[in-house]
Amino acid sequence: MLNLLRHPSVHFFPPTIIQLRKPLIEKRRRERINCSLEQLKGIMVDAYNLDQSKLEKADVLEITVQHMEGLQRGQGPAGPGCSLGLESHQRYSRGYIQCMHEVHNLLLNCPSMDKTLGARLLNHLLKSLPHISAKTAYFFLSYPY
């Protein structure tokens, strides 16, 4: 240890500077943690319609962990049986299908577009939509593209 202290490439600050910097570093670290917790709190309050005033930091972390575990298990953002996940999925599906309609209309109004390429594009979009109903799939596959 004494050899280390005498080594010319090792720089030591006077103890007063280290003592002054440690509290500042710790304060910044706590601020970052608290800021992230507040962001998580806002997200979880919106997602689960919770009362923000009753949530402590530990509650926010527990809810976030439960939420992430639900996502990992494939239960969607709000867990099993919750209508929020189903409603979000339905809105996404409706929007996706609307976009497919727009692409289809664009392809119909673009005479220079290769019909085979248009059919491949629509088929790809159709396959990319998860859990599409057979009725909707038949609707899109019945078009001439």
Side-chain angles (χ1 to χ4, degrees):
M1 180 86 176
L2 288 174
N3 290 337
L4 183 64
L5 292 174
R6 291 182 192 158
H7 195 274
S9 67
V10 177
H11 302 283
F12 288 98
F13 294 105
T16 55
I17 293 176
I18 292 173
Q19 289 171 350
L20 291 175
R21 288 199 68 200
K22 261 188 172 179
L24 283 174
I25 292 170
E26 181 62 21
K27 181 180 177 186
R28 287 183 188 145
R29 188 183 70 80
R30 279 193 315 272
E31 285 174 356
R32 284 182 28 231
I33 291 170
N34 288 332
C35 180
S36 295
L37 281 169
E38 282 301 313
Q39 288 174 337
L40 277 175
K41 185 178 183 179
I43 292 167
M44 292 297 130
V45 164
D46 290 344
Y48 291 100
N49 296 323
L50 301 171
D51 182 7
Q52 190 169 7
S53 64
K54 294 183 180 181
L55 288 178
E56 296 178 2
K57 292 176 185 178
D59 298 328
V60 172
L61 289 173
E62 285 175 359
I63 293 168
T64 303
V65 167
Q66 290 171 0
H67 176 78
M68 296 304 292
E69 286 173 342
L71 288 176
Q72 240 180 355
R73 287 189 301 268
Q75 296 175 343
C82 185
S83 63
L84 179 64
L86 179 61
E87 289 171 14
S88 296
H89 182 71
Q90 288 173 342
R91 275 195 313 267
Y92 175 81
S93 295
R94 281 194 303 266
Y96 192 95
I97 290 170
Q98 274 184 309
C99 288
M100 286 183 65
H101 279 292
E102 291 297 321
V103 169
H104 181 261
N105 289 337
L106 177 72
L107 292 173
L108 287 175
N109 294 322
C110 187
S112 62
M113 173 61 82
D114 178 32
K115 303 276 185 206
T116 306
L117 182 61
R120 285 179 54 210
L121 174 61
L122 285 174
N123 193 33
H124 171 75
L125 291 173
L126 183 64
K127 287 179 181 177
S128 297
L129 178 61
H131 308 296
I132 191 166
S133 70
K135 181 180 176 183
T136 308
Y138 176 77
F139 171 75
F140 280 110
L141 292 174
S142 65
Y143 273 109
Y145 265 107

